[in-house]
Amino acid sequence: MVSPVSVVKNEGPKLLPFFKAICMYFALWLPTSSPSWISALVKCLPILCLWAFLLAHGTRFLLARSAARKILAGLVFSVLGDVFLVWQEDGYFSHGLLMFAVAHVLYSSAFGMRPLNPLAGVVVAFLSLLSYIILYPCLFGPFTYLVGVYVALIGLMGWRAVAGVQLANDLWTWTRLSACLGAGFFIVSDLTIAVDKFCFPVPNSRAIVMGTYYAAQMLIALSAVECQEAEASRKRG
């Protein structure tokens, strides 16, 4: 099993541009009331750095790892979603929703269907249904259905991420733990967006949404690389 120290030592330097981009985003804190391509670039820059993070591991790595390719594709759709959400007040919120829905499908596929862990699926399905029931009275028009589909897809992604972490049986790797934590942060971020947009204003919602969102994407990207390290470790063993 790959140790946390090894992960930090091997992957930490490659993530420095990502952390610098996040610092830039929060330092500039450009107003959302005046959307522009500059504000879109600043918002997307951390995710673009995660593209570079995965690409830095080489073409051979990406060609050999379908999970890494799917996560990279998910990051591409996430950037498209971020751009649409910058102009969400101009009617592009549903476009952003669609882009992130595709990203969740890609992440779910990357995490795979083994182990199945149906108990985790039941728990996540219950929590997803509960979230939708809470949101439902606040939804209107096509969002009544669009949000329902989105909740189902992010729930699927969460299930596949959680399913791999079986601490009791010691059947886990840092890959799976990273994916699980990333999925959890993503759900918190998206649920905060939904409550703030459709139900009531959430204090410091933007900081909560973006902080958990960037953490989620970093952990999901890291999980793709951890897969490489863990498999190499098992082969050496």
Side-chain angles (χ1 to χ4, degrees):
M1 187 179 298
V2 181
S3 69
V5 175
S6 176
V7 174
V8 173
K9 181 179 178 180
N10 292 333
E11 307 303 334
K14 300 186 187 79
L15 285 170
L16 284 178
F18 168 76
F19 289 117
K20 290 179 180 179
I22 290 178
C23 290
M24 180 187 298
Y25 174 83
F26 283 102
L28 294 176
W29 202 244
L30 298 176
T32 57
S33 58
S34 303
S36 67
W37 285 108
I38 296 298
S39 60
L41 177 61
V42 171
K43 182 182 181 183
C44 295
L45 190 57
I47 310 304
L48 295 175
C49 289
L50 291 179
W51 290 10
F53 169 73
L54 288 179
L55 292 171
H57 290 82
T59 304
R60 182 178 299 178
F61 165 68
L62 290 173
L63 290 176
R65 313 286 176 179
S66 63
R69 294 196 302 272
K70 291 170 183 175
I71 287 175
L72 179 59
L75 291 171
V76 171
F77 278 96
S78 294
V79 166
L80 294 175
D82 281 331
V83 172
F84 280 125
L85 290 183
V86 167
W87 281 277
Q88 61 177 292
E89 298 303 326
D90 294 329
Y92 290 101
F93 183 82
S94 58
H95 298 71
L97 203 66
L98 176 61
M99 294 300 102
F100 279 109
V102 174
H104 292 318
V105 171
L106 288 164
Y107 291 155
S108 299
S109 180
F111 298 152
M113 293 301 294
R114 295 181 181 179
L116 188 62
N117 199 341
L119 178 59
V122 170
V123 173
V124 173
F126 171 77
L127 294 176
S128 299
L129 180 60
L130 181 62
S131 299
Y132 183 65
I133 289 173
I134 292 172
L135 292 171
Y136 183 79
C138 308
L139 302 175
F140 54 89
F143 288 115
T144 303
Y145 309 102
L146 291 175
V147 171
V149 172
Y150 187 86
V151 168
L153 291 176
I154 196 172
L156 173 64
M157 188 270 290
W159 170 36
R160 297 323 309 148
V162 172
V165 182
Q166 301 182 53
L167 298 177
N169 299 324
D170 199 28
L171 297 175
W172 64 282
T173 65
W174 282 99
T175 306
R176 294 173 176 176
L177 185 60
S178 182
C180 179
L181 292 174
F185 278 124
F186 224 133
I187 291 170
V188 171
S189 179
D190 283 356
L191 186 59
T192 303
I193 290 177
V195 171
D196 185 69
K197 182 173 182 63
F198 297 112
C199 299
F200 55 83
V202 177
N204 302 310
S205 60
R206 184 180 172 190
I208 295 170
V209 167
M210 298 310 299
T212 52
Y213 170 68
Y214 287 139
Q217 296 283 33
M218 180 197 70
L219 288 165
I220 290 173
L222 186 60
S223 76
V225 177
E226 252 293 289
C227 181
Q228 180 189 40
E229 299 294 336
E231 289 186 14
S233 178
R234 284 197 295 271
K235 288 178 181 179
R236 288 194 298 268

